[in-house]
């Protein structure tokens, strides 16, 4: 058994021991035990988190509530930390949905919603946040209750730390609604107001603002009519570029443990993935966006490999799909960045595959025939520009060096029987 496995077993054992002790404590002692459990939660890695918070664990918690040895208020103290850490670390798990505690929270939310007057609004908000943050899929009835509740919290414009934390948690919870279809009238007015207000006053944290965008981009998965709101009304490219620039300057790239700002950067890149594939707008602002990704790639290179690799992946996606033109990638610096990377001696198969697809897609687009005289002239100028950059960087020698790996990559990445000639650019 590996050292990591041993450590995980110890964490699980320790958490179980404290949970068992909860049954024999009064309410104040329970709070102290929960503080200890919350501290443990904040120090877990993803493997430890998934090993601790299983459906079985949540069922144990539900049983303690059932025999009235844990108050709902203390349950919320525990679940809020679990849900916040899960969301902050972007851990994907379905264990909560298969537990009796999930059913318990659903029932509590529905019962509370039926009350004509709620004595404790904060209690209801906490229930909604915990349920939405910990769950994986959501019945429409629960979404119609929880989304308006969380948006109401996020609309609070008071400028103090407590409000800012509440707004951040509400938006972070909403960003967990990924695949569920949500009626536009349930959210569009409020989310646009929240984002426009931030663009004018900059009242949200980086995490809260990214979470708001993530919620909206996830709705775009099912409703492509949102593109006009996202691109033109909320200025997605401009705002994303600003956040990428700002966050990359704040990240401590030398830290071994991934910090929150690096996590938020990664989530912006994931949002870009969806947009690059499905957007149809052709906007020169995308040159600015490409330039920001290039800067981020160079800042993260050799310091945060997950981010720099994802930048290469985004260049590949941009070269393949809708919104980007070759001129965006050329003028934004993406071609230069990938040409630099292709000479690195320690590239793995995944990165090689992404770079090969990037150059293949560019090569294919530059070889297209047809178009009016201006199109042909511009295409020829771009061909010449890229060809000269490639020649200067020794691109053809680098590609030739991958000759023996092409067949392997064809099989591994499901290329369509490509050969070395597909990657050369002829002028």
């Amino acid at each position: 058994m590996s050292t990591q496995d041993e450590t995980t077993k110890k964490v699980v054992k320790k958490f179980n021991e404290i949970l068992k002790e909860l049954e024999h404590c009064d309410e104040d002692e329970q709070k102290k035990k929960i503080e200890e459990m919350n501290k443990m939660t904040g120090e877990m890695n993803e493997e430890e988190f998934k090993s601790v918070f299983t459906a079985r664990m949540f069922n144990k918690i539900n049983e303690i509530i059932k025999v009235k040895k844990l108050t709902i208020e203390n349950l919320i103290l525990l679940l809020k930390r679990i849900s916040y850490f899960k969301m902050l670390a972007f851990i994907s798990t379905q264990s909560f949905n298969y537990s009796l505690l999930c059913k318990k929270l659903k029932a509590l939310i529905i019962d509370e919603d039926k009350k004509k007057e709620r004595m404790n609004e904060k209690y209801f908000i906490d229930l909604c946040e915990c349920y939405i943050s910990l769950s994986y899929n959501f019945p429409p009835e629960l979404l119609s209750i929880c989304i308006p509740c969380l948006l109401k919290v996020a609309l609070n414009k008071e400028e103090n730390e407590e409000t800012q934390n509440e707004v951040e948690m509400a938006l972070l919870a909403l960003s967990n609604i990924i695949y569920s279809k949500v009626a536009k009238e349930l959210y569009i007015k409020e989310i646009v107001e929240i984002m426009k207000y931030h663009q004018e006053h900059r009242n949200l944290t980086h995490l809260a603002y990214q979470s708001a965008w993530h919620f909206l981009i996830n709705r775009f998965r099912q409703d492509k009519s949102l593109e006009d709101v996202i691109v033109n009304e909320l200025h997605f490219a401009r705002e994303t570029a600003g956040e990428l620039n700002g966050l990359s300057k704040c990240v401590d790239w030398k830290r071994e443990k991934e910090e929150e700002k690096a996590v938020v950067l990664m989530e912006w890149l994931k949002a870009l993935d969806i947009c690059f594939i499905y957007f149809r707008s052709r906007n020169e602002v995308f040159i600015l966006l490409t330039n920001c990704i290039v800067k981020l790639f160079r800042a993260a290179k050799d310091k945060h490999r997950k981010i720099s690799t994802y930048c290469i992946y985004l260049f590949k996606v941009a070269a393949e799909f809708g919104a980007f033109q070759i001129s965006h990638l050329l003028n934004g610096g993406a071609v230069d960045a990938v040409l630099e990377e292709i000479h690195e001696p320690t590239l793995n198969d995944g990165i090689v595959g992404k770079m090969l697809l990037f150059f293949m897609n560019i090569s294919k687009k530059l070889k297209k025939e047809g178009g009016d005289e201006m199109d042909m002239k511009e295409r020829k100028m771009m061909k010449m520009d890229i060809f000269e950059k490639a020649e200067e960087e020794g691109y053809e020698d680098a590609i030739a060096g991958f000759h023996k790996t092409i067949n392997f990559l064809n099989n591994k990445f499901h290329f369509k029987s490509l050969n070395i000639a597909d990657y050369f650019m002829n002028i």
Side-chain angles (χ1 to χ4, degrees):
M1 184 177 291
S2 69
T3 305
Q4 179 62 50
D5 291 339
E6 286 288 351
T7 303
T8 300
K9 283 184 69 175
K10 288 178 182 177
V11 171
V12 173
K13 183 180 178 182
K14 178 67 174 173
F15 203 92
N16 272 310
E17 287 172 354
I18 301 174
L19 182 63
K20 193 171 183 180
E21 292 171 3
L22 284 180
E23 298 181 56
H24 310 290
C25 300
D26 61 29
E27 190 170 342
D28 289 336
E29 288 175 326
Q30 279 185 354
K31 282 184 169 67
K32 292 179 182 178
K33 292 292 181 185
I34 288 169
E35 284 178 11
E36 188 178 350
M37 295 165 83
N38 286 343
K39 184 179 178 182
M40 282 186 67
T41 301
E43 294 171 350
M44 291 177 190
N45 59 35
E46 184 172 350
E47 181 183 343
E48 291 164 352
F49 185 93
K50 288 183 176 181
S51 298
V52 169
F53 299 111
T54 60
R56 184 179 179 184
M57 169 66 78
F58 287 121
N59 284 340
K60 285 182 184 178
I61 295 172
N62 185 70
E63 187 60 34
I64 298 173
I65 296 168
K66 194 174 180 181
V67 296
K68 298 184 178 179
K69 292 187 176 180
L70 178 65
T71 64
I72 298 298
E73 288 73 18
N74 280 349
L75 168 69
I76 287 173
L77 287 178
L78 179 60
L79 292 187
K80 283 204 73 163
R81 180 59 182 171
I82 297 170
S83 60
Y84 181 76
F85 181 79
K86 171 187 174 287
M87 294 302 301
L88 187 62
F90 296 95
I91 295 172
S92 177
T93 173
Q94 300 181 39
S95 59
F96 179 74
N97 280 85
Y98 297 114
S99 72
L100 295 172
L101 187 58
C102 180
K103 293 181 180 179
K104 176 72 175 177
L105 251 65
K106 287 180 184 178
L108 288 171
I109 291 169
I110 291 170
D111 288 346
E112 195 69 16
D113 184 61
K114 287 178 181 177
K115 295 178 181 178
K116 291 183 178 179
E117 291 185 12
R118 284 193 283 271
M119 297 298 293
N120 190 339
E121 187 70 19
K122 182 69 167 62
Y123 166 72
F124 181 63
I125 292 167
D126 287 340
L127 287 176
C128 291
E129 282 179 357
C130 291
Y131 172 71
I132 294 294
S133 298
L134 290 170
S135 296
Y136 179 77
N137 52 34
F138 311 90
E141 180 185 7
L142 268 294
L143 287 179
S144 65
I145 296 171
C146 293
I147 289 178
C149 169
L150 297 178
L151 285 172
K152 184 179 179 182
V153 174
L155 279 164
N156 192 337
K157 299 177 177 67
E158 292 179 24
E159 295 185 8
N160 58 68
E161 187 176 353
E162 183 181 356
T163 297
Q164 195 174 56
N165 290 337
E166 290 172 354
V167 169
E168 181 179 87
M169 187 61 209
L171 290 170
L172 191 58
L174 286 168
S175 72
N176 194 47
I177 305 171
I178 300 174
Y179 301 108
S180 300
K181 192 165 185 177
V182 181
K184 191 185 290 187
E185 57 270 19
L186 202 60
Y187 67 87
I188 191 65
K189 179 183 175 182
E190 292 81 1
I191 200 69
V192 169
E193 181 182 340
I194 290 165
M195 295 166 84
K196 281 188 172 182
Y197 188 85
H198 172 75
Q199 289 173 9
E200 184 176 351
H201 301 279
R202 297 295 159 183
N203 63 308
L204 301 177
T205 65
H206 286 292
L207 178 59
Y209 190 44
Q210 196 287 321
S211 298
W213 270 110
H214 211 83
F215 171 75
L216 187 57
I217 296 298
N218 284 330
R219 309 287 67 77
F220 175 70
R221 290 172 185 265
Q222 290 94 21
D223 186 356
K224 300 302 183 290
S225 70
L226 288 170
E227 182 172 346
D228 183 59
V229 173
I230 291 170
V231 174
N232 299 318
E233 190 173 348
L234 294 174
H235 311 290
F236 174 76
R238 183 196 71 193
E239 290 297 305
T240 305
E243 289 294 300
L244 290 178
N245 275 337
L247 285 164
S248 63
K249 291 174 184 175
C250 297
V251 170
D252 183 356
W253 296 109
K254 295 179 181 178
R255 282 182 61 172
E256 290 184 15
K257 188 173 181 180
E258 191 172 52
E259 60 175 319
E260 182 182 312
K261 289 183 176 65
V263 173
V264 177
L265 269 174
M266 193 65 192
E267 291 307 303
W268 274 110
L269 296 180
K270 289 177 183 176
L272 285 171
D273 181 16
I274 298 170
C275 299
F276 284 5
I277 292 173
Y278 296 109
F279 277 8
R280 289 296 172 261
S281 300
R282 295 183 178 272
N283 191 322
E284 289 301 311
V285 178
F286 281 99
I287 297 175
L288 170 65
L289 193 52
T290 305
N291 187 253
C292 291
I293 301 170
V294 170
K295 287 179 181 177
L296 178 59
F297 163 75
R298 288 181 175 140
K301 190 178 177 182
D302 302 325
K303 299 166 189 171
H304 198 298
R305 202 57 183 161
K306 186 164 72 170
I307 286 178
S308 63
T309 298
Y310 209 92
C311 290
I312 294 291
Y313 164 74
L314 285 176
F315 295 146
K316 186 272 291 187
V317 172
E320 185 175 1
F321 293 99
F324 276 83
Q325 300 176 11
I326 298 299
S327 60
H328 295 156
L329 298 171
L330 179 61
N331 297 331
V335 174
D336 298 275
V338 182
L339 283 170
E340 292 169 17
E341 181 72 358
I342 205 166
H343 291 290
E344 289 295 317
T346 57
L347 298 176
N348 62 39
D349 294 335
I351 299 174
V352 171
K354 293 175 181 68
M355 289 192 299
L356 289 174
L357 280 171
F358 173 80
F359 284 117
M360 182 199 70
N361 289 326
I362 284 181
S363 181
K364 281 185 173 181
K365 286 184 178 181
L366 290 176
K367 289 175 182 176
K368 281 184 179 178
E369 299 296 334
D372 58 33
E373 186 176 342
M374 183 59 71
D375 288 335
M376 295 296 291
K377 184 178 179 181
E378 287 178 356
R379 185 180 293 117
K380 188 171 182 179
M381 288 176 66
M382 275 191 289
K383 278 186 181 182
M384 180 65 74
D385 199 349
I386 294 175
F387 181 84
E388 287 176 354
K389 287 178 182 290
E391 190 173 44
E392 185 177 334
E393 293 291 335
Y395 164 74
E396 294 200 356
D397 288 339
I399 290 295
F402 293 125
H403 184 81
K404 292 181 180 178
T405 66
I406 293 292
N407 288 335
F408 168 73
L409 291 169
N410 282 344
N411 294 327
K412 185 176 178 67
F413 297 102
H414 308 291
F415 294 0
K416 298 177 181 178
S417 301
L418 303 173
N419 57 64
I420 201 75
D422 292 307
Y423 302 98
F424 292 138
M425 286 168 280
N426 302 311
I427 58 171

